[in-house]
Amino acid sequence: EFIEGVLDEVIGLFPSKYIHIGGDECPTKMWEQCPRCRARMRVEGLTRPRQLQGYATVRVERFLQRHGRELIGWDEVLDGGVSPTAIVMSWRGTRGGIEAARHGNRVVMVPCDYFYFDYYQTHDPARVERETVATGRPDDVPYVTVRRAYEFSPYEGLDGGQRQCILGVQGNIWREYMV
């Protein structure tokens, strides 16, 4: 009820056909210990706590569809199971996008090591000193250049029919790393 109430407000504010629900950074540790969550798992025939996320995602998607909207979620929504009509944004590499396309889901490829433009643009320590704050440290995070982004093929690993599921790519910049 809470989620549907929030989404009612979102739908009222934004006319977009697409509603991105996130779906990443969803820990299950509390669900494993929660008696109500375990009871819901028994009622729904779920065997793993991660499947609760899939259960919730499908319910949210049905709600959005009743309101003429389409669900988009980060590739973690695949971990709990997702309907074939959900749109998946593959950020943890290309594996999630390939998996989703092979199941017929539409996909936006956003692999972080190609399209997170808040990453450093070089591993050269002298140049890193001149760059603004970026995600992580230069030795922890892959560097992303415009050339690297342009060289990316969102279709690699997919056959002709599966390629039809690729809607495109997206570049991300997370504001907390911008100065």
Side-chain angles (χ1 to χ4, degrees):
E1 289 177 21
F2 172 77
I3 293 171
E4 289 179 0
V6 169
L7 289 173
D8 266 333
E9 290 190 34
V10 169
I11 289 167
L13 291 171
F14 301 100
S16 171
K17 177 180 180 179
Y18 304 103
I19 304 288
H20 199 301
I21 64 159
D24 60 330
E25 301 175 6
C26 188
T28 63
K29 188 168 185 80
M30 290 182 283
W31 299 347
E32 295 166 14
Q33 301 165 6
C34 171
R36 292 177 70 190
C37 292
R38 289 195 313 267
R40 174 58 61 189
M41 288 177 63
R42 282 190 298 277
V43 167
E44 301 299 328
L46 306 177
T47 58
R48 298 178 294 116
R50 178 59 62 201
Q51 291 172 311
L52 283 170
Q53 182 177 5
Y55 164 78
T57 300
V58 168
R59 283 192 60 178
V60 166
E61 182 178 24
R62 285 186 198 135
F63 174 84
L64 291 173
Q65 288 172 339
R66 286 193 306 271
H67 290 83
R69 305 302 171 89
E70 294 189 53
L71 178 139
I72 301 177
W74 294 115
D75 57 46
E76 282 92 339
V77 299
L78 296 168
D79 299 342
V82 69
S83 81
T85 54
I87 300 169
V88 175
M89 292 188 75
S90 187
W91 75 274
R92 297 181 293 177
T94 59
R95 184 183 54 78
I98 292 169
E99 176 188 339
R102 287 181 177 163
H103 286 100
N105 291 85
R106 289 168 293 159
V107 176
V108 178
M109 287 291 204
V110 195
C112 60
D113 50 347
Y114 288 90
F115 293 108
Y116 273 38
F117 296 123
D118 55 346
Y119 281 7
Y120 286 98
Q121 296 178 30
T122 181
H123 280 292
D124 178 354
R127 287 189 56 207
V128 165
E129 280 298 313
R130 295 190 306 265
E131 288 191 29
T132 61
V133 175
T135 303
R137 295 189 331 261
D139 54 342
D140 288 343
V141 177
Y143 65 97
V144 174
T145 63
V146 172
R147 176 182 304 258
R148 183 168 169 78
Y150 274 106
E151 291 173 349
F152 176 77
S153 169
Y155 304 115
E156 193 170 319
L158 299 172
D159 68 26
Q162 296 162 348
R163 290 177 178 201
Q164 299 299 314
C165 295
I166 303 298
L167 297 175
V169 299
Q170 174 178 293
N172 290 331
I173 297 177
W174 302 108
R175 178 63 183 104
E176 64 264 33
Y177 297 104
M178 306 297 291
V179 289

